[in-house]
Amino acid sequence: MSHVPGPVARRPRALPVTGAGQAAAGSYCRTRTSPLWRHLLWAMAAAWGRFLSRAWLCRTAWQGCGRNYRAALCAELKRPLVIEEVTPRPVQPHEVRVNVHFCGINFADILACQGQYQERHQLPFTPGMEFSGMVLETGTDVSTVKEGDRVIGLPGFSGMAEECITDHKNLWQIPEKVSLREAAALPVSYGTAIFALEHRACTQPGETVLVTAAAGATGLAVIDVATNILQAKVIAAAGSDEKCQLAMQSGAQSSVNYSRGSLKEAVGKLVGSGGVNVVIDMVGGDIFLEALRSLAYEGRIVVVGFAGGTIASVPANLLLLKNVSAMGLYWGRYRQQNFPVFSRSLSSALQYCQEGRIQPHIGEVFELEEMK
């Protein structure tokens, strides 16, 4: 998670990181790895997974238009972000100006800054799909939020700045017992997890859920929701013993290190020949195929991503033989196609957090200056 100076609950001042490979709202997810990952992570103040220790970059109170604010800009693909002063523009009647306190870094931010995201952005642009902060100013047609309200926002991109102007429909109020830092870690990872488990897979209490890339932000969110909301049993699959340990600490009942051998065989030893009821896959490739073969009769597998870099072809005969279902989840698409259902997933995440039933994992918090 990234906390940016200025409007981020205190204005993105710091970027919290959640997960072992993915970012949660308002945080920079710092994850393992390749020099490019590390380069983008620190140079951009991004990464995408777990919250680092809390760090704020507080800024004095808003003093009206004309006061510049800082933003992280991707001016050149595959290069470090730059921090620049930006002149604020007036809000339109349907818009809201938010003082960003935390900005989450997601894998999509990394891909966008590499020019590999499905939606291309004109350079320069500001990354940041999700944030938490406080409302500074509202347009004349806005009645859903008011100045001083604490909100989470999903602007698409542009959240990695001290301030963000976005449509009022992109904001959700944060309940009293949820901190800005926690709130920033909820939207993308928990919205996706809730949608995958409840809406797509229709997971039932007592069922067994296998989640791949389990130590990433979304993987950990899946474990949290499946275990503590749906009362399902979770098998966490990840690529190292360290990641498996993190997943177990987050609530998984058992784990499999798929770098050590066959995922299907390991799962079979845990559940027997019956298989698992639900698979939430974020890896793709051979891991997806082994997870598919691990399904029980009438099992469901939900494709959420391809972190492994390979998109597998589905052997249709496997679907037929066990009467299993393979389905996809592009969470963001629901925003345009079925906004009430999309909004409900965010409201549920906030409510579950308010009730203390889920707990976003925060690994680190970066300050905005660390992005350059």
Side-chain angles (χ1 to χ4, degrees):
M1 219 171 215
S2 178
H3 188 169
V4 185
V8 192
R10 253 212 239 123
R11 316 186 133 172
R13 281 245 118 140
L15 304 153
V17 174
T18 37
Q22 158 175 354
S27 73
Y28 283 143
C29 180
R30 160 157 155 249
T31 302
R32 50 189 125 155
T33 229
S34 73
L36 178 57
W37 254 112
R38 198 167 292 123
H39 176 66
L40 288 172
L41 174 73
W42 289 102
M44 299 169 49
W48 51 300
R50 252 75 240 163
F51 294 117
L52 302 169
S53 60
R54 184 173 190 168
W56 295 90
L57 273 177
C58 291
R59 193 175 106 190
T60 56
W62 166 254
Q63 296 182 10
C65 287
R67 179 186 177 87
N68 291 347
Y69 64 91
R70 293 178 301 165
L73 298 180
C74 176
E76 184 179 353
L77 298 178
K78 300 181 181 180
R79 299 294 301 167
L81 299 183
V82 294
I83 308 299
E84 291 192 3
E85 293 280 325
V86 177
T87 301
R89 66 171 177 83
V91 297
Q92 298 301 308
H94 62 287
E95 292 180 325
V96 177
R97 189 190 311 277
V98 180
N99 175 13
V100 180
H101 285 240
F102 290 95
C103 173
I105 307 291
N106 290 273
F107 191 45
D109 292 301
I110 303 297
L111 293 177
C113 291
Q114 293 177 320
Q116 297 177 350
Y117 192 56
Q118 58 257 38
E119 298 175 13
R120 297 300 177 95
H121 299 272
Q122 183 176 352
L123 297 175
F125 70 91
T126 296
M129 298 176 64
E130 56 188 353
F131 64 78
S132 65
M134 297 181 71
V135 173
L136 293 170
E137 180 185 3
T138 61
T140 54
D141 294 344
V142 176
S143 59
T144 52
V145 295
K146 64 183 183 303
E147 182 180 346
D149 282 351
R150 302 186 316 140
V151 294
I152 56 171
L154 284 165
F157 282 93
S158 76
M160 202 178 294
E162 292 181 326
E163 294 175 14
C164 182
I165 293 178
T166 187
D167 191 293
H168 70 97
K169 294 180 181 178
N170 296 331
L171 300 174
W172 286 259
Q173 292 201 44
I174 300 172
E176 181 181 357
K177 294 181 181 179
V178 180
S179 70
L180 285 165
R181 187 176 69 164
E182 286 179 317
L186 291 173
V188 174
S189 56
Y190 276 84
T192 300
I194 290 169
F195 230 99
L197 290 164
E198 296 184 358
H199 187 76
R200 299 298 281 152
C202 299
T203 308
Q204 301 300 307
E207 288 192 316
T208 300
V209 175
L210 170 65
V211 54
T212 63
T218 299
L220 292 172
V222 167
I223 293 170
D224 201 2
V225 173
T227 302
N228 298 312
I229 303 300
L230 302 176
Q231 285 75 55
K233 293 171 284 190
V234 177
I235 299 174
S240 73
D241 290 342
E242 181 183 13
K243 292 174 184 177
C244 287
Q245 182 180 13
L246 175 59
M248 292 289 288
Q249 292 171 350
S250 298
Q253 281 69 46
S254 54
S255 65
V256 173
N257 179 349
Y258 44 62
S259 69
R260 293 178 176 271
S262 167
L263 173 62
K264 181 179 182 296
E265 290 180 7
V267 171
K269 291 178 181 178
L270 292 171
V271 299
S273 59
V276 300
N277 306 106
V278 174
V279 173
I280 309 297
D281 178 56
M282 288 162 281
V283 178
D286 291 340
I287 297 299
F288 164 81
L289 293 173
E290 290 202 57
L292 177 63
R293 290 185 170 91
S294 301
L295 281 173
Y297 180 78
E298 290 195 332
R300 294 86 73 199
I301 185 168
V302 183
V303 178
V304 178
F306 312 100
T310 302
I311 299 175
S313 296
V314 179
N317 63 309
L318 295 181
L319 307 184
L320 181 150
L321 291 173
K322 287 187 178 180
N323 289 317
V324 300
S325 301
M327 62 197 83
L329 173 57
Y330 178 11
W331 179 64
R333 182 73 179 271
Y334 281 90
R335 184 186 227 157
Q336 289 78 39
Q337 301 295 122
N338 194 338
F339 184 78
V341 174
F342 175 84
S343 181
R344 195 180 310 137
S345 68
L346 291 170
S347 298
S348 294
L350 289 165
Q351 179 182 345
Y352 294 153
C353 194
Q354 164 86 346
E355 295 169 349
R357 300 171 68 190
I358 59 173
Q359 182 60 57
H361 177 84
I362 297 177
E364 295 185 55
V365 176
F366 297 98
E367 295 191 11
L368 182 63
E369 288 82 354
E370 295 182 79
M371 298 176 66
K372 55 185 179 178

